[in-house]
Each structure stands twice: as C-alpha cells, then as structure tokens.
C-alpha cells in the first residue's frame, strides 16, 4: 500500500479526443533571451489515452531539444519519493485523527476500496493527496499516461538529456511546514471537496481546459485559485504554486542562458494567473510569447 501511495503522491505533483495530427493542449510559451529560445509547456501529471498525440509544435520542439526540464527527473523519482515519504510523510507513533474527521473519512475510504489501517501511519496531508488522486483515477486518469512521462519518453528517444527542476524531497518538505492542526484542516478541506462532488467537477473543468487549450477557461481557473479563501486553497496558491514558481523560474532562466532550444514542461497551473512562471520570466527581462 505504501508503494502505491508513493506513486500517487509523485503523480499528483508531476497536477476529448484529438485530431489525427494532435490538437493544441494546455498552454505553450516561447521564451527568448541571451540569443537563445526555450519552449515552456503546461502539462497534466496524470493522463488518459485521448491526450495523445500531442500537437506537432511541442513534439518537434522536444525532438530538437538537447535538454528537457521537468519538475522531477523521472529516473530519480522512485527512490527519491520513497526516501522523502519516510522523512516527511509518516505520522508520529500513536497519532490519530479527531473522531469527527475520522468518521467522515471512513466511508470515503471504504467507497474507494482503501484500508483505513493502511493509511493510519501517514500524516493527514498524505491522506488528503491520496483522496485527491483517487478522484482522478475514478475518471480514468493514470500516472503512466501523464504528459511529463510522455515527453520524457520522447526526449530520451531523441537522445536529449532529461533534468529535474525540483526533487520529491523538496516538494514533500513544503508540507512539513504545516502544523498538525493545519494538516488536519488540509485533510478536512479535501474530505469536504470529495463529499460534495466538487473535486470531480474541478477535475473535469481543469482537464477539459487543458485538452482544448481553452485560454478563457484557464483564465477563469486562475481567477478562482486567486480568490479561494479555504485553507487548502491558500496553501496551494501561496506555497505549492507561487512559492515554487520562484525557484523554477530561476532555474529556467539559467537553462535559457546556457542552452538554445531547450524545452521545459511543468504543471499547467504554474503557467497561469498571478505570479506565474511566464510572468516571473518577463520580470527578468526575457521575452515571453504565448503560442496558445
């Protein structure tokens, strides 16, 4: 069960049918500076077969790239994730959920076919992520069909180097900043979203917007993220997105300075809204053009 949880966590971070030659998906940007050009693509970390093929501009860019930068290097991910889970994801011995929250969680786990005893050793934030990714799975989304993994396969086939901008440890460490009370609030928000059916509705909205490269829908999602007043919403916006965007932007700017025709592919939500990676790259004096 713990191995499944590691895969689930890694898949989350990594967060319609296409025409024969591939349709526009997500968001694609062209970044120029220091005489070099880099493509920046917004991905979905979990996918379905209908996501593919991707459209030719991104696949051609990957084919021509010497380097593909992803959030996490997939070659390092399993071992890193296992070590990080041991360091950041295990609850203190004897820890338990408050009875009212445990009572709400139990039927959700039962419906999902999960054993509460298997999740008991884990911190509340890990349980929240397990719930979230299960909701994706119910709608057919799978880690092995994630866009990051697909692009890594294309890059390696073309002999490109694949590098990670972050590590599983650095991502999980963000949750270690939460107090025990805050972790319980994070889990409670996740339970509320699943109970209400809103989580599945949000998944549909996000994935439909990605499938169609629907700029208006993505802008609406960004606005909703910016105004989400729930604890989990604020943590996602301020820590999991904006906080990480700064570090990834710095590394992408360094990559652009070193290399021409590199490709970076990171989660779609990092590329939209206030404090997005494209916005931060522009603030560094780089030219950022949105292709779609």
């Amino acid at each position: 069960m713990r191995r499944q949880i590691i895969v689930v966590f890694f898949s989350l971070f990594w967060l319609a049918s296409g025409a024969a030659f591939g349709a526009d998906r997500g968001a694609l940007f062209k970044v120029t500076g220091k005489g070099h050009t880099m493509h920046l693509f917004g991905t979905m970390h979990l996918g379905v077969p209908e996501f593919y093929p991707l459209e030719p501009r991104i696949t051609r860019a990957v084919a021509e790239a010497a380097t593909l930068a992803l959030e996490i290097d997939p070659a390092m991910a399993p071992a890193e994730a296992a070590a990080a889970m041991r360091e950041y994801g295990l609850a203190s011995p004897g820890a338990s959920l408050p009875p009212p929250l445990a009572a709400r969680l139990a039927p959700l786990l039962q419906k999902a076919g999960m054993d509460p005893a298997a999740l008991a050793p884990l911190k509340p934030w890990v349980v929240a992520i397990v719930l979230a990714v299960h909701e994706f799975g119910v709608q057919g989304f799978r880690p092995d069909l994630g866009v990051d993994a697909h692009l890594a396969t294309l890059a390696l086939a073309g002999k490109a180097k694949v590098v990670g901008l972050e590590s599983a440890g650095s991502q999980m460490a963000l949750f270690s900043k939460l107090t025990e009370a805050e972790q319980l609030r994070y889990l409670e928000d996740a339970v509320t979203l699943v109970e209400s059916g809103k989580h599945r509705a949000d998944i549909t909205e996000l994935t439909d917007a990605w499938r169609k490269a629907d700029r208006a829908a993505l802008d609406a999602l960004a606005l909703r993220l910016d105004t989400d007043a729930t604890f989990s919403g604020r943590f996602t916006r301020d820590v999991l997105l904006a906080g990480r965007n700064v570090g990834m932007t710095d590394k992408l700017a360094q990559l652009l300075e070193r290399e021409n025709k590199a490709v970076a592919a990171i989660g779609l939500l990092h590329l939209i809204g206030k404090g997005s990676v494209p916005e931060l790259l522009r603030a560094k004096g780089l030219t950022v053009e949105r292709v779609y």
Side-chain angles (χ1 to χ4, degrees):
M1 182 69 179
R2 186 166 299 167
R3 178 176 294 179
Q4 292 174 321
I5 290 167
I6 290 170
V7 171
V8 157
F9 178 89
F10 176 63
S11 301
L12 179 68
F13 274 92
W14 252 59
L15 215 38
S17 60
F21 294 103
D24 292 352
R25 309 287 195 197
L28 179 65
F29 296 80
K30 184 177 179 181
V31 186
T32 306
K34 306 292 185 181
H36 292 164
T37 296
M38 174 175 64
H39 281 89
L40 176 61
F41 185 59
T43 69
M44 295 291 298
H45 303 318
L46 298 142
V48 291
E50 291 76 17
F51 279 5
Y52 307 104
L54 297 175
E55 63 89 19
R57 283 168 292 187
I58 184 60
T59 55
R60 185 167 56 247
V62 172
E64 295 174 353
T67 299
L68 170 67
L70 302 173
E71 289 180 28
I72 298 178
D73 179 354
M76 303 294 293
E80 282 185 352
M85 183 61 70
R86 289 192 295 270
E87 182 173 359
Y88 300 112
L90 300 181
S92 302
S96 61
L97 299 177
L101 180 55
R104 292 175 62 191
L105 179 63
L108 301 182
L109 296 180
Q110 182 179 16
K111 186 176 180 180
M114 299 181 194
D115 181 4
L119 297 180
L122 304 173
K123 289 183 177 179
W125 68 264
V126 182
V127 180
I129 288 176
V130 170
L131 278 179
V133 176
H134 176 264
E135 292 295 291
F136 274 90
V138 167
Q139 298 192 47
F141 292 89
R142 292 163 34 191
D144 60 306
L145 291 174
V147 179
D148 311 70
H150 178 80
L151 292 176
T153 299
L154 294 180
L156 293 172
K159 309 302 181 185
K161 177 174 61 175
V162 178
V163 301
L165 300 170
E166 300 178 317
S167 68
S170 70
Q171 291 181 345
M172 291 193 202
L174 297 172
F175 288 91
S176 70
K177 299 177 181 179
L178 296 174
T179 66
E180 184 175 347
E182 288 171 336
Q183 289 187 42
L184 291 173
R185 290 180 67 188
Y186 191 80
L187 175 56
E188 186 173 5
D189 282 352
V191 168
T192 298
L193 284 172
V194 174
E195 287 175 333
S196 66
K198 189 174 184 302
H199 199 290
R200 293 190 188 181
D202 288 347
I203 289 170
T204 298
E205 185 177 358
L206 172 62
T207 54
D208 281 354
W210 186 87
R211 278 186 174 106
K212 302 170 186 175
D214 187 335
R215 204 158 169 176
L218 293 175
D219 288 344
L221 280 169
L223 178 61
R224 196 164 71 203
L225 276 170
D226 191 50
T227 56
D228 189 339
T230 65
F231 177 80
S232 59
R234 295 195 307 272
F235 181 74
T236 298
R237 177 182 64 243
D238 299 338
V239 179
L240 300 183
L241 292 176
R244 293 167 59 210
N245 286 351
V246 174
M248 285 197 286
T249 297
D250 288 342
K251 290 184 179 180
L252 291 177
Q254 293 165 12
L255 176 60
L256 178 66
E257 187 168 359
R258 290 195 309 269
E259 292 187 26
N260 191 31
K261 294 187 176 182
V263 174
I266 59 179
L268 176 64
L269 295 181
H270 292 285
L271 304 188
I272 61 175
K274 295 180 181 177
S276 68
V277 170
E279 184 178 276
L280 294 175
L281 288 169
R282 289 189 185 100
K284 287 181 173 291
L286 302 172
T287 301
V288 182
E289 169 197 354
R290 185 158 185 174
V291 180
Y292 54 76

